[in-house]
């Protein structure tokens, strides 16, 4: 592996001592420099690379894995969270990681500063179970829409959404599928996610929508199967593999303007994600 020249970074603890705007600009520049070095060391071309990624839902079980995998690949990460204390306790202490307060339910205008200056956004949010019957719509529909609109206002042109299989279950003839019924019992969650997907498609932003099957916290037990939208109606997949697909989408031009559905199967061949993305037609 080619060596990468180290660049000075601002440690998160020192960033707290600086004015917020100054600290953020310094961190973004240092992250970008680090990742650009890594990209140039591993790629023969000199085209502009995605260097800094905002992750919404960064302390969730999938979002946390996305953050870790982005950092492992040398990206700068801006982790959006509603609970900074929780984020400090659960996310890695890394000079390429910046924590920012960001609540997708509070509207696009409040999210603009959180995403300004990044190259891409990964949305891995999900509502937390509560007595609020509208929570799925506040987070999985309106929250995602708010984040997309914030990207448009801030000039961010790349958006990865972690959604779910069966969001379009009604059109697929899966109204009686037990998974479709259960997932919609809590505030029509899948319907809310579908509405957010439709907004993304109309937004003009360069998107990849990743629809995983049932999510597990265990390590992968099979290889990834990737299919076009409205194809899979059962199956499960490790959150680690979902994070792999979301991160690879940022690196793979063939993932643009596509909706992909993923599960894991023990009998599936181990294929490169880039090849799988290339096999899916644009929507």
């Amino acid at each position: 592996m080619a060596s990468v020249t180290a660049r000075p970074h601002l440690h998160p603890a020192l960033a707290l001592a600086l004015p917020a705007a100054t600290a953020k600009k310094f961190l973004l520049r240092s992250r970008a420099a680090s990742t650009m070095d890594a990209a140039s060391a591993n790629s023969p071309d000199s085209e502009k690379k995605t260097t800094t990624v905002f992750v919404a839902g960064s302390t969730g079980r999938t979002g946390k894995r996305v953050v870790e995998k982005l950092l492992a690949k040398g990206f700068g990460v801006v982790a959006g969270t509603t609970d900074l204390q929780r984020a400090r306790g659960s996310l890695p202490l890394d000079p390429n990681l910046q924590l920012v307060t960001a609540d997708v339910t509070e509207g696009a205008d409040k999210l603009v500063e959180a995403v300004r200056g990044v190259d891409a956004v990964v949305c891995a949010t999900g509502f937390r179970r509560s007595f609020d019957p509208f929570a799925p719509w506040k987070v999985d529909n309106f929250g995602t829409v708010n984040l997309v609109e914030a990207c448009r206002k801030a000039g961010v042109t790349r958006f990865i959404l972690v959604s779910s299989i069966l969001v379009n279950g009604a059109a697929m003839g899966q109204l009686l599928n037990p998974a479709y019924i259960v997932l919609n019992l809590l505030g029509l969650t899948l319907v809310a996610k579908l509405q957010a997907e439709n907004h993304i498609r109309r937004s003009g932003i360069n998107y990849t929508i990743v629809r995983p099957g049932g999510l597990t916290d265990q390590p992968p037990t099979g290889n990834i199967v990737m299919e076009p939208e409205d194809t899979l109606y059962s199956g499960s997949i490790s959150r680690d593999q979902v994070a792999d697909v979301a991160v690879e989408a940022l690196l793979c031009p063939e993932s643009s303007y596509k909706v992909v559905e993923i599960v894991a199967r023990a009998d599936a061949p181990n294929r490169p994600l880039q090849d799988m993305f290339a096999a899916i037609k644009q929507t």
Side-chain angles (χ1 to χ4, degrees), residues 11 20 36 39 63 68 70 75 89 127 140 192-193 198 217 235 257 270:
H11 192 281
M36 287 299 287
E68 292 169 347
L70 286 169
F75 286 93
F127 81 97
D140 294 301
K193 289 179 180 291
N198 290 338
D217 293 316
Y257 301 102
N270 186 10

Side-chain angles (χ1 to χ4, degrees), residues 82-228:
T82 58
D83 188 339
L84 287 175
Q85 193 62 35
R86 181 185 179 194
R88 292 188 184 102
S90 63
L91 296 177
L93 183 63
D94 190 293
N96 282 341
L97 175 64
Q98 181 190 5
L99 307 180
V100 298
T101 301
D103 186 341
V104 296
T105 67
E106 292 186 348
D109 291 340
K110 289 189 176 182
L111 291 168
V112 170
E113 285 307 312
V115 302
R116 193 183 301 281
V118 305
D119 302 300
V121 165
V122 176
C123 181
T125 55
F127 81 97
R128 294 177 183 173
R129 293 187 180 185
S130 68
F131 293 108
D132 183 356
F134 300 106
W137 286 80
K138 291 177 180 177
V139 176
D140 294 301
N141 180 14
F142 303 131
T144 302
V145 169
N146 288 337
L147 192 55
V148 170
E149 291 307 301
C151 288
R152 294 175 66 180
K153 292 181 178 184
V156 181
T157 58
R158 190 73 174 100
F159 197 96
I160 313 296
L161 174 67
V162 179
S163 184
S164 174
I165 64 169
L166 285 175
V167 292
N168 205 22
M172 294 169 64
Q174 294 295 315
L175 281 173
L176 299 180
N177 185 314
Y180 185 77
I181 294 171
V182 169
L183 290 170
N184 274 321
L185 281 178
L186 298 173
L188 297 176
T189 304
L190 293 179
V191 179
K193 289 179 180 291
L194 181 62
Q195 294 301 311
E197 287 190 12
N198 290 338
H199 181 84
I200 291 171
R201 295 192 203 214
R202 295 190 300 264
S203 70
I205 202 167
N206 181 350
Y207 65 85
T208 305
I209 297 172
V210 179
R211 295 177 176 174
L215 298 171
T216 71
D217 293 316
Q218 286 70 41
T221 56
N223 293 319
I224 295 172
V225 174
M226 183 181 292
E227 298 290 348

